[in-house]
Amino acid sequence: MLRLKRAYAPRSPGDGRRVLVDRLWPRGLSKERLAIDEWMRDVAPSAALRRWFAHDPAKWLTFQRRYRRELEAHSDLVDRLAKYALEGGVTLIFSARNESLNDAVVLAAVVRRRMAHILGGRRRAAHAR
């Protein structure tokens, strides 16, 4: 199970492993209030890409393409998130105000594709036995 949640929303029992996927710490939140299990700064968009995008809806499609390209260099982190999701669930924590046009949405789509790839490999291995 893979979920997305704003950093300012309270922790809930169904969150599973909570991973902050922002490069910067969310403003005004203490470690206790954020209650994350891990902070993956390197899976976030580069500072240059984040500044260029600036949450401008007109740049959304290009942002997605560029961010996916950046994520290729961090396939190990994408794999780790996919495994967390398959093993017991993970919630990607982000601080963006816009809940539908942000990097966590793109990351979640990439992780879901990786999860499907892992599951497909497991099914093929089971059929080969």
Side-chain angles (χ1 to χ4, degrees), residues 20-38:
L20 178 61
V21 293
D22 285 347
R23 189 165 300 279
L24 305 173
W25 190 264
R27 289 182 186 198
L29 289 182
S30 66
K31 286 183 182 182
E32 293 75 27
R33 182 162 172 227
L34 190 54
I36 59 167
D37 297 298
E38 188 172 350

Side-chain angles (χ1 to χ4, degrees), residues 30-87:
S30 66
K31 286 183 182 182
E32 293 75 27
R33 182 162 172 227
L34 190 54
I36 59 167
D37 297 298
E38 188 172 350
W39 184 6
M40 285 191 186
R41 289 180 188 104
D42 291 336
V43 80
S46 65
L49 181 57
R50 186 175 46 81
R51 279 191 301 271
W52 172 83
F53 175 47
H55 298 282
D56 179 353
K59 296 178 180 178
W60 176 239
L61 292 176
T62 303
F63 170 77
Q64 289 180 76
R65 236 182 356 264
R66 290 179 182 181
Y67 182 36
R68 282 190 184 104
R69 227 175 296 133
E70 286 187 358
L71 285 171
E72 290 172 9
H74 299 290
S75 61
D76 58 324
L77 297 177
V78 172
D79 286 348
R80 188 179 337 160
L81 288 170
K83 288 174 185 172
Y84 288 161
L86 291 168
E87 290 169 357

